[in-house]
Amino acid sequence: MTTQTTAPETPETPSAPSTGASPSGLFGIPAATGRALAAGAGVLTIVSTFLAWTWTSDFPGDLTVYGYPGGLQVLVLIGAAVTTLLALATYDVKGLGWLVPSGGDAAVKLAALATFATAWYTVISISVELGGVVNLEPGGYVVAVTSLAALVGALALPFERPEPDPIDPDSTGWEKFRHSLAHGWNTTKATFAAESPKPVGKLPSYAEILIIVAALALGLTVFTYGIGTEYDELFVGFLILAGFGFAALNKAGLIAHVAQITARHQNVTVFGAFIAAALFPFTQTDDQYATLGVYILIFATVALGLNIVVGLAGLLDLGYVAFLGVGAYAAALVSGSPNSPFHVHFPFWAAVIIGALASLVFGVLIGAPTLRLRGDYLAIVTLGFGEIFRITANNLDGTSGPDITNGSNGIASIPNLDILGFDFGAVHDVAGFSIGRFANYFFLMLIITAVVVLVFRRSGNSRIGRAWVAIREDETAALAMGINGFRVKLIAFAVGASLAGLAGTVQAHVTYTVTPEQYLFAGPIPPNSAFLLAAVVLGGMGTIAGPLIGAALLFLIPNKLQFLGDYQLFAFGVALILLMRFRPEGLIPNRRRQLEFHEEAEAPAVLGKTGA
């Protein structure tokens, strides 16, 4: 009796270094030559950033200096350095293999594309703004050629795909069409599985903690640089490099590697993230960008509360910003504003409780009669509630209704907070740093964000949290298992509403004025219901970091893209479409949600057949 075992056919890893002379990528260039070209041209691109790119300082960033990169040159320098390192790592250069735990050919392509796009964007901007290519210095021509050469070399790296099954010549046109669709889907699955990150071995605890610290420091540096870009061209270049750079690191497997490490040290990661956030105001020279920081935290906290409703419980709420408004109005009415009809001034802790309770009560009142609905019907009802809240607040002006909210003028002149003698409206000196008004509110909002994160983590890991997930996955099955669906969903609605009201109490004091126009369903500037939902979906439903990062991006990018005018929302919409196309599970995906989109990445290998 003879036993033969057939090895499972697995797709060849696209990133395996190719040393042969056969062309595998574009342009007919051998893979080894392309890899050497990408690395060499990357080095030359680095050198070009130390040359002058234009003769006049009229272009922002002063790109006229030899030997000292500035402005957009720094971004091109970073992109070229990453491209060179990844190209050398895929060439099996000793000591660099850790850069590409999942293989690096796709990562080299994306890094080279990031460098090329940033360099050519700069060269074209100089030519357009200054009146032609005659305004370029030799460095501008050099960087254009070398970045293009690096991209050509990267595109010469192999595109490995499994061969298609033969088509039966007697098949009908419809069968051939179905075959082509099936082959395309199988190719996509095989390519993703081949490039998906492999589990990495554990490092010593101190080494993994150092990696977490380094990742958080890098994140703080990138965020600080992005929020502090001084002119529009620099921010657009930053977006190009950051977008393609993140994709390159993700393809290389570094993002997944760091995610595995942070998952083993969740408490250290959360604590370190808040320390990194607390350092942000100290990186600013004035209150200009701390203003964006505090608004981002307010937006992120509300998005995290919505994540309980949408991400955990699976309830589509399109009027969630109304709960933020309820908390803000409740706090404004009792915080000593001269426009308040109640003429009372409660301490902040009492205003916080009133704002959170008011939002909770409204959440229960709206949820009780509507949460028996599902899907689109629930979304329509919540959308109606958001509009009803805004219209009601607009009508409570003493003419159309009782004089409570002062109508469209809102509750104005809300005083700054004073907690235990600490005036949030004054400038304070801390360790030699001047901490202004918005920085003070930033620290307060950071504490509230920490409370919301704690509530999210504890509730998500609790019995009620598991019930939320069960309802989200299959409500019928959950009800059959004995879960009280109505009660569970009502709790999610109430908790999410109270967290939004908590953030609203701080928003009222930060903005000085609360008006109905601040709480629209959609608008060019967040927070509004549409942007809140987008922050949760794009950041990663069911996670903590996802909505925080999504909210930061969705608040920062529209503020920085205001120079586009009428095209601002168009450009922003295109960016969202591309992100959802290439990363539908979100930037920081929940593991269960990631498997829903990429089940093939975890599929076990098929065992070979044994015959006698």
Coordinates of all heavy atoms in Angstrom, one line a residue, residues 504-591:
G504 N -20.8 67.6 25.8 CA -21.4 68.8 25.5 C -21.3 69.9 26.6 O -21.2 71.1 26.3
T505 N -21.2 69.4 27.8 CA -21.0 70.4 28.9 C -19.7 71.2 28.8 O -19.6 72.4 29.1 CB -21.0 69.7 30.3 OG1 -20.0 68.7 30.3 CG2 -22.3 69.0 30.5
V506 N -18.6 70.5 28.3 CA -17.3 71.2 28.1 C -17.4 72.1 26.8 O -16.9 73.2 26.8 CB -16.2 70.2 28.0 CG1 -14.9 70.9 27.7 CG2 -16.1 69.4 29.3
Q507 N -18.1 71.6 25.8 CA -18.2 72.3 24.6 C -18.9 73.7 24.8 O -18.5 74.7 24.2 CB -19.0 71.5 23.5 CG -19.0 72.2 22.1 CD -20.2 71.8 21.3 OE1 -21.3 71.5 21.9 NE2 -20.1 71.9 20.0
A508 N -19.9 73.7 25.7 CA -20.6 74.9 25.9 C -19.6 76.0 26.5 O -19.7 77.2 26.1 CB -21.7 74.7 26.9
H509 N -18.7 75.6 27.4 CA -17.8 76.6 28.0 C -16.6 76.9 27.0 O -16.1 78.1 27.0 CB -17.2 76.0 29.3 CG -18.2 75.9 30.4 ND1 -19.0 74.8 30.5 CD2 -18.6 76.8 31.4 CE1 -19.8 75.0 31.6 NE2 -19.6 76.2 32.1
V510 N -16.3 76.0 26.2 CA -15.2 76.3 25.2 C -15.6 77.3 24.1 O -14.9 78.2 23.8 CB -14.7 75.0 24.6 CG1 -13.7 75.3 23.4 CG2 -14.0 74.1 25.6
T511 N -16.8 77.1 23.6 CA -17.3 77.9 22.5 C -18.0 79.2 23.0 O -18.3 80.1 22.2 CB -18.3 77.2 21.7 OG1 -19.4 76.7 22.5 CG2 -17.7 75.9 21.0
Y512 N -18.2 79.4 24.3 CA -18.8 80.6 24.9 C -20.3 80.7 24.5 O -21.1 81.2 25.3 CB -18.2 81.9 24.4 CG -16.8 82.2 25.0 CD1 -15.7 82.3 24.2 CD2 -16.6 82.3 26.4 CE1 -14.4 82.6 24.7 CE2 -15.4 82.5 26.9 CZ -14.3 82.7 26.1 OH -13.1 83.0 26.6
T513 N -20.7 80.2 23.4 CA -22.1 80.3 22.9 C -22.6 79.0 22.4 O -21.9 78.3 21.7 CB -22.2 81.4 21.8 OG1 -21.6 82.6 22.3 CG2 -23.6 81.6 21.3
V514 N -23.9 78.7 22.7 CA -24.5 77.5 22.2 C -25.7 77.9 21.3 O -26.6 78.6 21.8 CB -25.0 76.6 23.3 CG1 -25.7 75.3 22.8 CG2 -23.8 76.2 24.2
T515 N -25.7 77.5 20.0 CA -26.7 77.9 19.1 C -27.2 76.7 18.4 O -26.5 75.7 18.3 CB -26.2 78.9 18.1 OG1 -25.1 78.3 17.3 CG2 -25.7 80.2 18.7
P516 N -28.5 76.7 17.9 CA -29.0 75.5 17.2 C -28.2 75.1 15.9 O -28.2 74.0 15.6 CB -30.4 76.0 16.8 CG -30.8 77.1 17.7 CD -29.5 77.8 18.0
E517 N -27.6 76.1 15.3 CA -26.9 75.8 14.0 C -25.6 75.0 14.2 O -25.0 74.5 13.3 CB -26.5 77.1 13.3 CG -27.6 77.9 12.7 CD -28.6 78.5 13.7 OE1 -28.2 78.7 14.8 OE2 -29.8 78.7 13.3
Q518 N -25.2 74.8 15.5 CA -24.0 74.0 15.8 C -24.4 72.5 15.7 O -23.4 71.7 15.7 CB -23.5 74.3 17.2 CG -22.9 75.7 17.3 CD -22.5 76.0 18.7 OE1 -23.0 75.4 19.7 NE2 -21.6 76.9 18.9
Y519 N -25.6 72.1 15.6 CA -26.0 70.7 15.7 C -26.8 70.3 14.5 O -28.0 69.9 14.6 CB -26.8 70.5 17.0 CG -26.0 71.0 18.2 CD1 -26.4 72.2 18.8 CD2 -24.9 70.4 18.7 CE1 -25.7 72.8 19.8 CE2 -24.2 70.9 19.7 CZ -24.6 72.1 20.3 OH -23.8 72.7 21.3
L520 N -26.2 70.4 13.3 CA -26.9 70.0 12.1 C -26.6 68.5 11.8 O -25.7 67.9 12.4 CB -26.3 70.8 10.9 CG -26.5 72.3 11.0 CD1 -25.7 73.0 9.9 CD2 -28.0 72.7 10.9
F521 N -27.4 67.9 10.9 CA -27.1 66.6 10.4 C -25.9 66.5 9.6 O -25.1 65.6 9.7 CB -28.3 66.0 9.6 CG -28.0 64.8 8.9 CD1 -27.8 63.6 9.6 CD2 -27.8 64.8 7.5 CE1 -27.5 62.4 8.9 CE2 -27.5 63.6 6.9 CZ -27.3 62.4 7.5
A522 N -25.7 67.5 8.7 CA -24.5 67.5 7.9 C -24.1 68.9 7.6 O -25.0 69.9 7.6 CB -24.8 66.8 6.5
G523 N -22.8 69.2 7.4 CA -22.3 70.5 7.2 C -20.8 70.4 6.8 O -20.2 69.3 6.9
P524 N -20.2 71.5 6.4 CA -18.8 71.5 6.0 C -17.9 71.3 7.2 O -16.8 70.8 7.0 CB -18.6 72.9 5.4 CG -19.7 73.7 6.0 CD -20.9 72.8 6.3
I525 N -18.3 71.6 8.4 CA -17.4 71.6 9.6 C -18.0 70.7 10.6 O -19.2 70.9 11.0 CB -17.0 72.9 10.1 CG1 -16.3 73.8 9.0 CG2 -16.1 72.8 11.3 CD1 -15.0 73.3 8.6
P526 N -17.3 69.7 11.2 CA -17.9 68.9 12.3 C -17.8 69.7 13.6 O -17.1 70.7 13.6 CB -16.9 67.7 12.3 CG -15.7 68.2 11.7 CD -16.0 69.2 10.7
P527 N -18.5 69.3 14.7 CA -19.2 68.0 14.7 C -20.6 68.1 14.2 O -21.3 69.1 14.4 CB -19.3 67.7 16.2 CG -19.2 69.0 16.9 CD -18.4 69.9 16.0
N528 N -21.1 67.1 13.4 CA -22.4 66.9 13.0 C -22.7 65.4 12.9 O -21.7 64.7 12.9 CB -22.8 67.7 11.7 CG -21.8 67.3 10.6 OD1 -21.7 66.2 10.2 ND2 -21.1 68.3 10.1
S529 N -23.9 65.0 12.8 CA -24.2 63.6 12.8 C -23.5 62.8 11.7 O -23.0 61.7 11.9 CB -25.7 63.4 12.7 OG -26.4 63.9 13.9
A530 N -23.5 63.4 10.5 CA -22.8 62.7 9.4 C -21.4 62.5 9.6 O -20.8 61.4 9.4 CB -23.1 63.5 8.1
F531 N -20.7 63.5 10.1 CA -19.2 63.3 10.4 C -19.0 62.4 11.6 O -18.0 61.7 11.6 CB -18.6 64.7 10.7 CG -18.2 65.4 9.4 CD1 -19.1 66.0 8.6 CD2 -16.8 65.5 9.1 CE1 -18.7 66.7 7.4 CE2 -16.4 66.1 7.9 CZ -17.3 66.7 7.1
L532 N -19.8 62.4 12.6 CA -19.7 61.5 13.7 C -19.8 60.1 13.2 O -19.0 59.2 13.6 CB -20.7 61.8 14.8 CG -20.5 63.1 15.6 CD1 -21.7 63.4 16.4 CD2 -19.3 63.0 16.5
L533 N -20.8 59.8 12.4 CA -21.0 58.4 11.9 C -19.8 58.0 11.0 O -19.3 56.9 11.1 CB -22.3 58.3 11.2 CG -22.6 56.9 10.7 CD1 -22.8 55.9 11.8 CD2 -23.9 57.0 9.8
A534 N -19.3 59.0 10.2 CA -18.2 58.7 9.4 C -16.9 58.4 10.2 O -16.1 57.6 9.9 CB -17.9 59.9 8.4
A535 N -16.7 59.1 11.3 CA -15.6 58.9 12.2 C -15.6 57.5 12.7 O -14.5 56.8 12.8 CB -15.6 59.9 13.3
V536 N -16.8 57.0 13.1 CA -16.9 55.7 13.7 C -16.6 54.6 12.6 O -15.8 53.7 12.8 CB -18.2 55.5 14.3 CG1 -18.4 54.0 14.8 CG2 -18.4 56.4 15.5
V537 N -17.2 54.8 11.4 CA -17.1 53.8 10.4 C -15.7 53.7 9.8 O -15.0 52.7 9.6 CB -18.1 54.0 9.3 CG1 -17.9 53.0 8.1 CG2 -19.5 53.9 9.8
L538 N -15.1 54.9 9.5 CA -13.8 55.0 8.9 C -12.7 54.7 9.9 O -11.6 54.1 9.6 CB -13.6 56.4 8.3 CG -14.5 56.7 7.2 CD1 -14.2 58.1 6.7 CD2 -14.4 55.7 6.0
G539 N -12.9 55.1 11.2 CA -11.8 54.8 12.2 C -11.8 53.3 12.5 O -10.7 52.7 12.7
G540 N -13.0 52.7 12.6 CA -13.0 51.3 13.0 C -14.1 51.0 14.0 O -14.0 51.4 15.2
M541 N -15.2 50.4 13.6 CA -16.4 50.2 14.5 C -16.0 49.2 15.6 O -15.3 48.2 15.3 CB -17.6 49.7 13.7 CG -18.1 50.7 12.7 SD -19.4 50.1 11.6 CE -20.6 49.6 12.8
G542 N -16.5 49.5 16.8 CA -16.3 48.5 17.9 C -14.9 48.6 18.5 O -14.6 47.8 19.4
T543 N -14.1 49.6 18.2 CA -12.8 49.7 18.8 C -12.7 51.1 19.5 O -13.6 51.9 19.4 CB -11.6 49.7 17.7 OG1 -11.8 50.8 16.9 CG2 -11.7 48.4 16.9
I544 N -11.7 51.2 20.4 CA -11.5 52.5 21.1 C -10.6 53.4 20.2 O -11.0 54.6 20.1 CB -10.8 52.2 22.4 CG1 -11.7 51.4 23.4 CG2 -10.4 53.5 23.1 CD1 -11.0 51.0 24.7
A545 N -9.5 53.0 19.7 CA -8.6 53.9 19.0 C -9.2 54.3 17.7 O -8.9 55.4 17.2 CB -7.3 53.2 18.7
G546 N -10.1 53.5 17.0 CA -10.6 53.8 15.7 C -11.4 55.1 15.7 O -11.0 56.0 14.9
P547 N -12.5 55.3 16.5 CA -13.2 56.5 16.5 C -12.3 57.7 16.9 O -12.5 58.8 16.4 CB -14.3 56.3 17.5 CG -14.5 54.8 17.5 CD -13.2 54.3 17.3
L548 N -11.4 57.5 17.8 CA -10.5 58.6 18.2 C -9.7 59.1 17.0 O -9.6 60.3 16.8 CB -9.6 58.2 19.4 CG -10.4 57.8 20.7 CD1 -9.4 57.4 21.7 CD2 -11.2 58.9 21.2
I549 N -9.1 58.2 16.3 CA -8.2 58.6 15.2 C -9.1 59.1 14.0 O -8.8 60.1 13.4 CB -7.4 57.4 14.7 CG1 -6.4 57.0 15.8 CG2 -6.7 57.7 13.4 CD1 -5.5 55.8 15.5
G550 N -10.2 58.4 13.8 CA -11.2 58.8 12.7 C -11.7 60.2 13.0 O -11.7 61.1 12.1
A551 N -12.0 60.5 14.2 CA -12.5 61.9 14.5 C -11.4 62.9 14.4 O -11.7 64.0 13.9 CB -13.1 61.9 16.0
A552 N -10.2 62.6 14.8 CA -9.1 63.5 14.6 C -8.9 63.9 13.1 O -8.7 65.0 12.8 CB -7.8 62.9 15.2
L553 N -8.9 62.9 12.3 CA -8.7 63.1 10.9 C -9.9 63.9 10.3 O -9.7 64.8 9.5 CB -8.5 61.8 10.1 CG -7.3 61.0 10.5 CD1 -7.3 59.6 9.7 CD2 -6.0 61.8 10.1
L554 N -11.1 63.5 10.6 CA -12.3 64.1 10.0 C -12.5 65.6 10.5 O -13.2 66.4 9.8 CB -13.5 63.3 10.3 CG -13.6 62.0 9.6 CD1 -14.9 61.3 9.9 CD2 -13.4 62.1 8.1
F555 N -11.9 65.9 11.6 CA -12.0 67.3 12.1 C -10.8 68.1 11.5 O -11.0 69.3 11.1 CB -12.0 67.4 13.6 CG -12.3 68.7 14.1 CD1 -13.6 69.0 14.5 CD2 -11.4 69.7 14.3 CE1 -14.0 70.3 15.0 CE2 -11.7 71.0 14.7 CZ -13.0 71.3 15.1
L556 N -9.6 67.5 11.5 CA -8.4 68.2 11.1 C -8.5 68.5 9.6 O -8.2 69.7 9.1 CB -7.2 67.5 11.5 CG -5.9 68.0 11.0 CD1 -5.6 69.4 11.7 CD2 -4.7 67.1 11.4
I557 N -8.8 67.5 8.8 CA -8.7 67.7 7.3 C -9.6 68.7 6.8 O -9.2 69.6 6.0 CB -8.9 66.3 6.6 CG1 -7.7 65.3 7.0 CG2 -9.0 66.5 5.1 CD1 -7.9 64.0 6.4
P558 N -10.9 68.8 7.1 CA -11.8 69.9 6.6 C -11.3 71.3 7.0 O -11.4 72.2 6.2 CB -13.1 69.6 7.2 CG -13.1 68.1 7.5 CD -11.7 67.8 7.9
N559 N -10.7 71.4 8.2 CA -10.2 72.7 8.7 C -9.0 73.1 7.9 O -8.8 74.3 7.6 CB -9.9 72.6 10.2 CG -11.0 72.9 11.1 OD1 -11.4 74.0 11.3 ND2 -11.7 71.8 11.5
K560 N -8.2 72.1 7.5 CA -7.0 72.5 6.7 C -7.3 72.6 5.2 O -6.5 73.2 4.5 CB -5.9 71.4 6.9 CG -5.3 71.4 8.3 CD -4.4 72.6 8.5 CE -3.7 72.5 9.8 NZ -2.7 73.6 10.0
L561 N -8.4 72.1 4.7 CA -8.7 72.2 3.3 C -9.7 73.3 3.0 O -10.2 73.3 1.9 CB -9.4 70.8 2.9 CG -8.4 69.6 2.8 CD1 -9.2 68.4 2.3 CD2 -7.2 69.8 2.0
Q562 N -9.8 74.3 3.8 CA -10.7 75.4 3.6 C -10.3 76.2 2.4 O -11.1 76.9 1.8 CB -10.9 76.2 4.8 CG -11.6 75.6 6.0 CD -11.8 76.5 7.2 OE1 -11.7 77.7 7.0 NE2 -12.2 75.9 8.3
F563 N -9.0 76.1 2.0 CA -8.5 76.9 0.9 C -9.1 76.4 -0.4 O -9.1 77.1 -1.4 CB -7.0 76.9 0.8 CG -6.4 75.5 0.5 CD1 -6.2 75.2 -0.8 CD2 -6.2 74.6 1.5 CE1 -5.7 73.9 -1.1 CE2 -5.7 73.4 1.2 CZ -5.4 73.0 -0.1
L564 N -9.7 75.2 -0.4 CA -10.3 74.7 -1.6 C -11.7 75.3 -1.9 O -12.2 75.1 -3.0 CB -10.5 73.2 -1.5 CG -9.2 72.3 -1.5 CD1 -9.5 70.9 -1.3 CD2 -8.4 72.6 -2.8
G565 N -12.2 76.0 -1.0 CA -13.5 76.7 -1.2 C -14.6 75.7 -1.5 O -14.9 74.7 -0.7
D566 N -15.3 75.9 -2.6 CA -16.4 75.0 -3.0 C -16.0 73.6 -3.3 O -16.9 72.7 -3.3 CB -17.2 75.6 -4.2 CG -17.8 77.0 -3.9 OD1 -18.0 77.2 -2.7 OD2 -18.0 77.8 -4.8
Y567 N -14.8 73.4 -3.5 CA -14.3 72.0 -3.9 C -13.9 71.2 -2.6 O -13.4 70.1 -2.8 CB -13.2 72.1 -4.9 CG -13.6 72.6 -6.2 CD1 -13.3 74.0 -6.5 CD2 -14.2 71.8 -7.2 CE1 -13.7 74.5 -7.7 CE2 -14.5 72.3 -8.4 CZ -14.3 73.7 -8.7 OH -14.7 74.2 -9.9
Q568 N -14.0 71.8 -1.5 CA -13.5 71.2 -0.2 C -14.3 69.9 0.0 O -13.6 68.8 0.2 CB -13.8 72.1 0.9 CG -13.4 71.5 2.3 CD -13.8 72.4 3.4 OE1 -14.3 73.6 3.2 NE2 -13.7 71.9 4.6
L569 N -15.6 69.9 0.0 CA -16.3 68.7 0.3 C -16.2 67.6 -0.8 O -16.2 66.4 -0.6 CB -17.8 69.0 0.5 CG -18.2 69.7 1.8 CD1 -19.7 70.0 1.8 CD2 -17.8 68.9 3.0
F570 N -16.0 68.1 -2.1 CA -15.7 67.2 -3.2 C -14.4 66.4 -2.9 O -14.4 65.2 -3.1 CB -15.7 67.9 -4.5 CG -15.2 67.1 -5.7 CD1 -16.1 66.2 -6.2 CD2 -13.9 67.2 -6.2 CE1 -15.7 65.4 -7.3 CE2 -13.5 66.4 -7.2 CZ -14.4 65.5 -7.8
A571 N -13.3 67.1 -2.6 CA -12.1 66.5 -2.4 C -12.1 65.6 -1.2 O -11.6 64.4 -1.2 CB -11.0 67.5 -2.2
F572 N -12.9 66.0 -0.2 CA -13.0 65.2 1.0 C -13.8 63.9 0.8 O -13.4 62.9 1.2 CB -13.7 66.0 2.1 CG -13.7 65.4 3.5 CD1 -12.6 65.1 4.1 CD2 -14.9 65.1 4.1 CE1 -12.6 64.5 5.4 CE2 -15.0 64.5 5.3 CZ -13.8 64.2 6.0
G573 N -14.8 64.1 0.0 CA -15.6 62.9 -0.4 C -14.9 61.9 -1.2 O -15.0 60.7 -1.0
V574 N -14.0 62.4 -2.1 CA -13.2 61.4 -2.9 C -12.2 60.7 -2.0 O -12.0 59.5 -2.2 CB -12.4 62.2 -4.0 CG1 -11.4 61.3 -4.7 CG2 -13.4 62.8 -5.0
A575 N -11.6 61.4 -1.0 CA -10.7 60.7 -0.1 C -11.5 59.7 0.7 O -10.9 58.6 0.9 CB -10.1 61.8 0.8
L576 N -12.7 59.9 1.1 CA -13.5 58.9 1.9 C -13.8 57.7 1.0 O -13.7 56.6 1.5 CB -14.7 59.6 2.4 CG -14.6 60.7 3.5 CD1 -16.0 61.1 4.0 CD2 -13.7 60.3 4.6
I577 N -14.1 58.0 -0.2 CA -14.4 56.8 -1.1 C -13.2 55.9 -1.3 O -13.3 54.7 -1.3 CB -14.9 57.4 -2.5 CG1 -16.3 58.0 -2.3 CG2 -15.0 56.3 -3.5 CD1 -16.8 58.8 -3.5
L578 N -12.1 56.6 -1.5 CA -10.8 55.8 -1.7 C -10.5 55.0 -0.5 O -10.1 53.8 -0.5 CB -9.7 56.7 -2.1 CG -9.8 57.4 -3.4 CD1 -8.6 58.4 -3.6 CD2 -9.8 56.3 -4.5
L579 N -10.7 55.6 0.7 CA -10.4 54.9 2.0 C -11.3 53.7 2.1 O -10.9 52.6 2.5 CB -10.5 55.9 3.1 CG -10.2 55.3 4.5 CD1 -8.7 54.8 4.5 CD2 -10.4 56.3 5.6
M580 N -12.6 53.9 1.9 CA -13.6 52.8 2.0 C -13.3 51.7 1.0 O -13.6 50.6 1.2 CB -15.0 53.3 2.0 CG -15.4 54.2 3.1 SD -15.2 53.4 4.7 CE -16.3 52.0 4.6
R581 N -12.8 52.1 -0.2 CA -12.5 51.1 -1.2 C -11.4 50.2 -0.8 O -11.4 49.0 -1.0 CB -12.3 51.8 -2.5 CG -11.6 51.0 -3.6 CD -12.5 49.8 -4.0 NE -11.9 48.9 -5.0 CZ -11.0 48.0 -4.7 NH1 -10.7 47.7 -3.5 NH2 -10.5 47.3 -5.7
F582 N -10.3 50.8 -0.3 CA -9.1 50.0 0.0 C -9.0 49.6 1.4 O -8.1 48.7 1.7 CB -7.9 50.9 -0.4 CG -7.8 51.1 -1.9 CD1 -8.1 52.4 -2.4 CD2 -7.4 50.1 -2.8 CE1 -8.1 52.6 -3.8 CE2 -7.3 50.4 -4.1 CZ -7.7 51.6 -4.7
R583 N -9.8 50.1 2.3 CA -9.7 49.6 3.7 C -11.1 49.7 4.3 O -11.4 50.6 5.2 CB -8.7 50.5 4.5 CG -8.3 49.8 5.8 CD -7.1 50.4 6.5 NE -6.7 49.8 7.7 CZ -6.0 48.7 7.8 NH1 -5.5 48.2 6.7 NH2 -5.7 48.2 9.0
P584 N -12.0 48.9 3.9 CA -13.4 49.0 4.3 C -13.7 48.7 5.7 O -14.7 49.2 6.3 CB -14.1 48.0 3.4 CG -13.1 47.0 3.0 CD -11.8 47.8 2.9
E585 N -12.7 48.0 6.4 CA -12.9 47.6 7.8 C -12.5 48.8 8.7 O -12.7 48.7 9.9 CB -12.1 46.4 8.1 CG -10.6 46.6 8.1 CD -10.1 46.2 6.7 OE1 -10.8 46.4 5.7 OE2 -8.9 45.8 6.6
G586 N -12.0 49.9 8.2 CA -11.6 51.0 9.0 C -10.1 51.0 9.2 O -9.4 50.1 9.0
L587 N -9.6 52.2 9.7 CA -8.2 52.3 9.9 C -7.7 51.4 11.1 O -6.6 50.8 11.0 CB -7.9 53.8 10.2 CG -8.1 54.8 9.1 CD1 -7.9 56.2 9.6 CD2 -7.2 54.5 7.9
I588 N -8.4 51.4 12.1 CA -8.1 50.5 13.3 C -9.2 49.5 13.4 O -10.1 49.7 14.2 CB -7.9 51.3 14.6 CG1 -7.0 52.5 14.3 CG2 -7.3 50.4 15.7 CD1 -5.5 52.1 14.0
P589 N -9.2 48.4 12.7 CA -10.4 47.5 12.7 C -10.5 46.6 13.9 O -9.5 46.2 14.5 CB -10.2 46.7 11.4 CG -8.7 46.6 11.3 CD -8.2 47.9 11.8
N590 N -11.8 46.4 14.2 CA -12.1 45.3 15.2 C -11.8 44.0 14.5 O -12.0 43.8 13.3 CB -13.5 45.4 15.6 CG -14.0 44.3 16.5 OD1 -14.4 43.2 16.0 ND2 -13.9 44.5 17.8
R591 N -11.2 43.0 15.3 CA -10.8 41.7 14.7 C -11.9 41.0 14.0 O -11.8 40.4 12.9 CB -10.2 40.8 15.8 CG -9.5 39.6 15.3 CD -8.4 39.9 14.3 NE -7.7 38.7 13.8 CZ -7.0 38.7 12.8 NH1 -6.8 39.8 12.0 NH2 -6.4 37.6 12.4

